[in-house]
Amino acid sequence: MTDCEIILVGDELLKGERHDAHLPWLARVLAGVGVRVARAYTIRDDADEIRGLIAQRLGETRLLVITGGLGPTPDDVTREAFAAGFARELEFHNPSWQAIVARFESYGRPVTDANRRQAMVPTGGEVIPNAHGTAPGCFLDGGDTLGVLLPGPPRELRPMVERDVLPRVATLFHREPLRVETFRTIGVGESDLMTQFGDALGRLDAWRVSSLPSLTGVDIILTARDGADRGALDEGANRMEGQLRAGLGGKFYEHGIRSLDRVVHDTLSERGDTLAVAESLTGGRIGAMLTDHAGSSAYLLADVVTYSNESKVKMLGVQPEIISEHGAVSEETCTAMAHGVRRATGATWALTTTGIAGPSGGSEKKPVGLVYLGVAWDGGVQAHRVRYRGSRDMVRTRAVYGALWILLDRLHRA
Ligand code: ATP
């Protein structure tokens, strides 16, 4: 019998019209109460399929979570299928209906008869109120398996899970949180990491080790083995952290799950420094990422997208001769952009990107993927020449993370 299985319902997930947001989030919060997600299924809005799968998983998993398809329209069939899968009838639940009516009144819209379907609950079910939408969820005790029915929109589902589902699951399982330690690196390949640290990782007896490479770096993830001793876990994780720090320096940038842009955001905020960015090939992505974080106005003074040569001259004061002599993609232009944006804004730090994203525009001397990343500060400037491989999008994404990383590296040295 598995701990937990999840059924994600929705044609849009299978047509590629929407990314699933539930599994990664649910897996993480359930791990927080010690529960492992063993399987996940993505299936169509088809009542027979949903019912059949639920009936098949009953007794095979202690927790069966089903999401999506609780709306009022005829293609929303999960509620009926959920009840049928557990061999229950649906019955009208007046408190849920009153909540739906009140919600429609607050919108100033008339409630429709179709919405009455959303107030139907399987017999013996226990309603999970939905504070952010019309469709309530429900717990259903199926003997060995507890069913949990939840609506599709993440902004509705997440508060319901946090308020009602996690406490219930924690009482059901009585587990310690699953311990997971994440070490995030950038600028080293997975195989180089394994060559350098494979032996040390292999000696972590209390931990199961995995590595997760992405476009932007490699995460080393330690997951506690069942029954592992707490002292051995702490000792192993601390030892590994020390070894990564000694061996990788700034390329090991996070013990935890903060993203690189979040670490840069936190570091600048803590220091009270300011930043100005001038982007060419990355077209504003650096500023977009940093401004995703509340509080970025405390340090981000400007992000200028200087895509043309002329804008580099007019807006950043790059001398035209520098561009005509060395080209827009050059160490000299990158450095001049960094000085220029820093001068114009008075920021403590300047960060710049210029490069050839492709697929065209490359030459033998300046191939597609050639990127210069610049950072300037009081009394110094540095331009890094890098060569990224892959599609236009990959080159641009790598350039964004490369730039954030060289800034972070400098911040740590300052
Ligand atoms: P509603 O009452 O809003 O209709 P619902 O429970 O019926 O909620 P759906 O109709 O399946 O949910 O989907 C509502 C919204 O939630 C849609 O925009 C859908 O794409 C989104 N959604 C459903 N499942 C997921 C998922 N796994 N990840 C991200 N979004 C999802």
Side-chain angles (χ1 to χ4, degrees), residues 388-405:
Y388 294 122
R389 302 197 182 271
S391 66
R392 178 179 177 82
D393 185 50
M394 286 159 80
V395 168
R396 281 157 42 90
T397 304
R398 288 183 159 134
V400 168
Y401 283 92
L404 288 171
W405 180 68

Side-chain angles (χ1 to χ4, degrees), residues 80 82-90 122-125 140-143:
E80 290 74 8
F82 178 70
F86 279 81
R88 306 286 172 89
E89 299 297 319
L90 280 174
T123 45
L140 193 52
D141 188 351

Side-chain angles (χ1 to χ4, degrees), residues 96-138:
S96 292
W97 175 239
Q98 295 309 324
I100 292 169
V101 171
R103 177 162 292 275
F104 272 86
E105 270 170 11
S106 76
Y107 295 155
R109 282 195 278 135
V111 67
T112 66
D113 252 2
N115 291 103
R116 285 183 81 87
R117 281 182 63 208
Q118 295 184 293
M120 302 297 285
V121 175
T123 45
E126 194 184 316
V127 167
I128 307 173
N130 181 348
H132 300 92
T134 50
C138 152

Side-chain angles (χ1 to χ4, degrees), residues 41-359:
Y41 311 82
T42 306
I43 62 171
R44 298 185 293 155
D45 291 290
D46 180 294
D48 282 341
E49 264 185 58
I50 303 167
R51 182 194 44 75
L53 182 56
I54 292 174
Q56 189 217 332
R57 301 319 302 156
L58 283 187
E60 303 292 332
T61 180
R62 288 179 77 187
L63 191 65
L64 185 59
V65 180
I66 298 108
T67 71
L70 302 189
T73 54
D75 59 338
D76 292 308
V77 294
T78 309
R79 191 176 298 282
E80 290 74 8
F82 178 70
F86 279 81
R88 306 286 172 89
E89 299 297 319
L90 280 174
E91 56 189 24
F92 184 69
H93 185 246
N94 196 44
S96 292
W97 175 239
Q98 295 309 324
I100 292 169
V101 171
R103 177 162 292 275
F104 272 86
E105 270 170 11
S106 76
Y107 295 155
R109 282 195 278 135
V111 67
T112 66
D113 252 2
N115 291 103
R116 285 183 81 87
R117 281 182 63 208
Q118 295 184 293
M120 302 297 285
V121 175
T123 45
E126 194 184 316
V127 167
I128 307 173
N130 181 348
H132 300 92
T134 50
C138 152
F139 291 112
L140 193 52
D141 188 351
D144 292 336
T145 302
L146 176 68
V148 182
L149 180 67
L150 293 165
R155 66 183 175 79
E156 296 180 24
L157 172 143
R158 291 183 185 186
M160 293 165 79
V161 170
E162 281 164 350
R163 211 190 76 135
D164 290 305
V165 180
L166 290 178
R168 176 76 173 259
V169 171
T171 335
L172 182 70
F173 284 84
H174 283 299
R175 297 257 178 88
E176 290 271 309
L178 282 184
R179 265 191 74 178
V180 179
E181 303 280 340
T182 305
F183 300 103
R184 313 201 95 164
T185 71
I186 185 168
V188 244
E190 192 179 22
S191 45
D192 289 343
L193 269 180
M194 288 310 138
T195 310
Q196 202 175 344
F197 299 103
D199 288 346
L201 290 164
R203 283 195 293 273
L204 293 174
D205 299 331
W207 295 98
R208 203 164 334 114
V209 179
S210 58
S211 64
L212 196 62
S214 70
L215 264 190
T216 52
V218 181
D219 289 348
I220 295 176
I221 298 164
L222 310 184
T223 312
R225 291 192 183 279
D226 288 338
D229 170 73
R230 186 176 295 208
L233 289 167
D234 288 344
E235 188 278 324
N238 290 340
R239 175 156 43 92
M240 205 57 234
E241 174 166 4
Q243 285 174 329
L244 288 170
R245 218 170 277 295
L248 296 178
K251 289 179 178 170
F252 165 43
Y253 67 87
E254 166 74 351
H255 178 179
I257 55 165
R258 290 181 306 168
S259 57
L260 181 59
D261 43 297
R262 180 78 217 192
V263 176
V264 168
H265 167 91
D266 289 348
T267 309
L268 284 166
S269 306
E270 280 157 21
R271 292 175 62 101
D273 288 355
T274 54
L275 171 70
V277 186
E279 303 189 52
S280 192
L281 88 154
T282 48
R285 284 205 203 175
I286 295 175
M289 284 179 103
L290 292 176
T291 53
D292 268 345
H293 303 295
S296 49
S297 60
Y299 61 84
L300 185 66
L301 302 188
D303 180 19
V304 215
V305 181
T306 49
Y307 213 52
S308 67
N309 290 351
E310 204 177 42
S311 65
K312 292 180 180 67
V313 172
K314 280 197 179 147
M315 299 172 78
L316 303 176
V318 176
Q319 289 174 318
E321 305 77 54
I322 292 184
I323 299 182
S324 55
E325 203 171 308
H326 304 281
V329 180
S330 64
E331 180 176 340
E332 290 78 2
T333 299
C334 183
T335 307
M337 287 168 69
H339 279 312
V341 77
R342 195 165 168 270
R343 196 170 45 234
T345 57
T348 331
W349 297 91
L351 186 61
T352 56
T353 64
T354 179
I356 304 162

